[in-house]
């Protein structure tokens, strides 16, 4: 059988430059439903398994590496998952510029690049500026779900959210339904790390609705 091309799955690939202003999730998915965004989807393992497990949820995967983006679109298309869209773009700018206030139910951030060198810490995705954006975009009681193998980055994440005690409360990490019994999140990187017997750290934060 001929290899499927991206073109065949044009309905799954969402082009960043076609989104002008705030994204209309109901229009993009063709229905009004809960919206989950995964930042840095890699090969899309979480995305496909979770979307299959929660067909009632609309999933947007954001991945900036072209190679992985194409891989995910093809994978989602071949699985016939109608509740997934994939976008190739830089997630922080897209979220800040194109995601509306209180439109997202959950952000999934699994095994983000740890940028271990001190001079690179400013590149880390979990930053005060991005936490502000999660708060703005999440619906009341919306969740940021996080997993990493990097202990020092994990600590950094906790300290970053500690700066937002009036906006986020730490809650138990609820394992996504698409993960297997042995997994926390069910991503490709996690599978690799499990084989290497590395520790996996998880955490989650819930938006405290604005009382004013
Ligand atoms: C370490 S990999 C983890 C991939 C996947 N979450 C997993 O656990 O298998 C990090 C991924 O995030 C993507 N990425 C990193 N920063 C990003 C950003 N600012 N916007 C979109 N994607 C990003 C990278 O291209 C890479 O595929």
């Amino acid at each position: 059988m001929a290899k499927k091309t991206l073109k065949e799955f044009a309905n799954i690939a969402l082009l960043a430059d076609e989104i002008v202003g705030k994204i209309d999730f109901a229009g993009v998915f063709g229905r009004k439903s809960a919206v989950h965004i995964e930042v840095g989807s890699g090969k899309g393992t979480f995305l496909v398994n979770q979307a299959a497990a929660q067909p009632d949820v609309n999933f947007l995967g954001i991945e900036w590496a072209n190679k992985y983006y194409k891989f995910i679109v093809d994978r989602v298309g071949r699985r016939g998952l109608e509740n997934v869209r994939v976008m190739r773009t830089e997630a922080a700018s897209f979220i800040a510029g194109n995601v509306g206030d209180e439109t997202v139910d959950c952000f999934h951030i699994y095994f983000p690049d740890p940028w271990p060198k001190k001079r690179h810490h400013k590149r880390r995705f979990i930053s005060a500026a991005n936490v502000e954006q999660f708060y703005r975009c999440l619906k009341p009681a919306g969740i940021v779900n996080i997993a990493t193998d990097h202990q020092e980055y994990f600590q950094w994440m906790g300290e970053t959210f500690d700066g937002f005690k009036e906006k986020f409360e730490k809650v138990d990490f609820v394992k996504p339904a698409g993960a297997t019994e042995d997994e926390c999140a069910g991503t490709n990187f996690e599978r690799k790390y499990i084989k290497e017997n590395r520790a996996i750290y998880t955490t989650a934060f819930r938006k405290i609705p604005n009382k004013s």
Side-chain angles (χ1 to χ4, degrees):
M1 198 172 81
K3 200 172 182 298
K4 301 262 185 199
T5 65
L6 259 192
K7 236 181 178 174
E8 289 172 71
F9 303 124
N11 55 325
I12 294 163
L14 206 58
L15 300 177
D17 46 10
E18 281 180 6
I19 311 258
V20 179
K22 302 295 186 216
I23 184 168
D24 166 17
F25 286 115
V28 160
F29 286 93
R31 65 175 186 176
K32 260 194 182 163
S33 205
V35 172
H36 289 209
I37 294 182
E38 187 192 20
V39 171
S41 301
K43 290 188 169 178
T45 304
F46 164 80
L47 210 50
V48 293
N49 291 330
Q50 191 62 18
Q54 286 188 295
D56 51 325
V57 172
N58 294 332
F59 286 91
L60 172 62
I62 306 179
E63 172 54 58
W64 73 5
N66 195 34
K67 178 174 90 170
Y68 292 133
Y69 158 74
K70 287 182 172 171
F71 187 91
I72 307 169
V73 171
D74 187 61
R75 197 171 180 188
V76 170
R78 282 187 285 110
R79 285 277 292 262
L81 294 163
E82 293 179 1
N83 57 330
V84 183
R85 299 293 179 272
V86 186
M87 179 177 272
R88 184 194 170 206
T89 196
E90 196 286 301
S93 324
F94 178 76
I95 292 168
N98 300 97
V99 176
D101 297 359
E102 305 205 337
T103 55
V104 177
D105 293 83
C106 185
F107 284 99
H108 298 272
I109 303 164
Y110 301 133
F111 305 91
D113 295 323
W115 296 109
K117 290 183 184 153
K118 200 164 182 197
R119 70 174 187 278
H120 291 153
H121 283 181
K122 56 182 179 295
R123 300 184 189 176
R124 287 177 165 177
F125 196 79
I126 301 298
S127 65
N130 285 341
V131 172
E132 273 294 359
Q133 290 300 324
F134 299 151
Y135 184 80
R136 182 185 64 75
C137 297
L138 281 170
K139 295 177 188 172
I143 297 284
V144 183
N145 234 17
I146 297 174
T148 180
D149 64 305
H150 197 277
Q151 192 179 20
E152 188 270 322
Y153 189 17
F154 184 66
Q155 198 180 329
W156 157 292
M157 293 169 177
E159 286 165 8
T160 306
F161 272 92
D162 278 349
F164 292 85
K165 286 226 155 97
E166 290 183 358
K167 295 186 170 180
F168 281 99
E169 57 186 339
K170 197 170 171 329
V171 291
D172 289 341
F173 176 90
V174 177
K175 182 173 141 129
T180 66
E181 208 180 306
D182 305 334
E183 297 169 344
C184 296
T187 74
N188 217 56
F189 267 68
E190 183 180 11
R191 289 181 181 173
K192 197 172 82 176
Y193 295 150
I194 287 173
K195 281 190 196 142
E196 294 169 5
N197 283 322
R198 281 207 223 179
I200 309 283
Y201 307 93
T202 58
T203 188
F205 298 91
R206 180 165 55 208
K207 173 174 173 169
I208 301 170
N210 193 342
K211 290 187 188 86
S212 64

